[in-house]
Amino acid sequence: EIVMTQSPATLSVSPGERATLSCRASQSVGTNLAWYQQKPGQAPRLLIYGASTRATGIPARFSGRGSGTEFTLTISSLQSEDFGVYYCQQYNDWPPLTFGQGTKLEIK
Amino acid sequence: QVTLRESGPALVKPTQTLTLTCTFSGFSLSSNGMCVNWIRQPPGKALEWLALIDWVDGKYYSPSLRTRLSISKDTSKNQVVLTMANMDPVDTGTYFCARIRRERDSGGHYSYYFDSWGQGTLVTVSS
């Protein structure tokens, strides 16, 4: 099973600043990685797939990069609505499809 | 517009079998590449994938829960059913269904990410 590890666990960023979230895979997943945003009481929302392709309707301030075992999600200029928990998910080798443990993004 | 909605009991007793139904619209599970999944989330914890059923009735399970899970579909009703046997309090959480639209990317690899989700249903396991 591929284990996904996200860091940091919690990130506090002021509006307008850049936020960078990290995701590491226990073995190479190529670019077969997705990112999701989840707000309290809601289902996750797809942000990024293929490590760097924004999903439909996702603002350009969200960007993903990386390949192999190291990935980042960057929010270039944080908006107040960007708070929530962010998860990465690999789909290179499954079952199982696996998620990271999440990074909680707080607005400072 | 793709929508998914989970339904089932809010409370089950330990050792009982949980049955959840995902009712969807906006796509057909008989169309090439379509898959429906179950994913769960204990309170305050991370997401855990449970099972997938695809358009040709292929069924895939989390290895750690395989002996307790069964997934099936009724294409005519646009429904997917998950059963989980021998429920335990640690199985308490929100259960989501989510769609995968399997596509081949530029590198020739098939994509298995979740592009649409239901709102989830909270299941509590308690006597």
Side-chain angles (χ1 to χ4, degrees):
Chain A
E1 171 176 332
I2 298 178
V3 176
M4 308 302 292
T5 303
Q6 293 185 241
S7 61
T10 304
L11 183 63
S12 295
V13 180
S14 299
E17 293 189 342
R18 176 187 300 259
T20 301
L21 291 68
S22 296
C23 175
R24 173 177 293 179
S26 60
Q27 64 191 75
S28 177
V29 299
T31 56
N32 300 303
L33 184 110
W35 288 93
Y36 303 85
Q37 176 196 61
Q38 186 179 32
K39 296 186 177 182
Q42 296 184 16
R45 176 177 70 145
L46 176 68
L47 299 175
I48 300 283
Y49 61 91
S52 61
T53 302
R54 279 188 304 276
T56 303
I58 301 304
R61 65 180 182 273
F62 291 89
S63 64
R65 60 183 302 166
S67 65
T69 62
E70 301 285 342
F71 301 87
T72 57
L73 174 70
T74 299
I75 309 171
S76 60
S77 179
L78 201 68
Q79 307 294 304
S80 58
E81 63 265 28
D82 297 335
F83 76 93
V85 180
Y86 289 76
Y87 294 96
C88 59
Q89 175 239 328
Q90 70 81 23
Y91 50 90
N92 187 69
D93 186 10
W94 67 282
L97 295 162
T98 52
F99 294 89
Q101 82 280 17
T103 290
K104 183 178 182 180
L105 179 59
E106 299 177 335
I107 308 300
K108 191 182 291 185
Chain B
Q1 180 187 6
V2 173
T3 65
L4 303 101
R5 185 182 73 251
E6 305 85 354
S7 59
L11 179 67
V12 299
K13 290 181 167 54
T15 76
Q16 286 186 337
T17 294
L18 171 68
T19 300
L20 296 173
T21 300
C22 176
T23 304
F24 56 88
S25 64
F27 68 99
S28 172
L29 196 42
S30 60
S31 296
N32 187 45
M34 294 299 172
C35 312
V36 172
N37 299 260
W38 286 95
I39 297 149
R40 71 177 178 180
Q41 185 172 40
K45 295 187 177 181
L47 301 161
E48 178 184 20
W49 174 79
L50 301 176
L52 176 155
I53 190 165
D54 67 19
W55 73 104
V56 292
D57 209 32
K59 301 172 184 178
Y60 303 86
Y61 299 98
S62 169
S64 63
L65 293 167
R66 181 180 181 84
T67 59
R68 299 175 54 203
L69 295 173
S70 178
I71 192 170
S72 62
K73 65 183 174 80
D74 185 331
T75 304
S76 65
K77 292 184 178 179
N78 281 351
Q79 290 183 332
V80 170
V81 174
L82 179 78
T83 63
M84 179 179 287
N86 193 24
M87 293 291 285
D88 183 272
V90 300
D91 297 314
T92 293
T94 298
Y95 287 71
F96 297 97
C97 61
R99 185 185 79 161
I100 285 173
R101 187 179 55 186
R102 193 194 79 158
E103 296 176 326
R104 195 186 289 269
D105 61 24
S106 58
H109 196 279
Y110 285 115
S111 57
Y112 285 88
Y113 54 83
F114 310 99
D115 67 349
S116 297
W117 295 68
Q119 84 281 7
T121 185
L122 176 62
V123 177
T124 300
V125 184
S126 175
S127 55

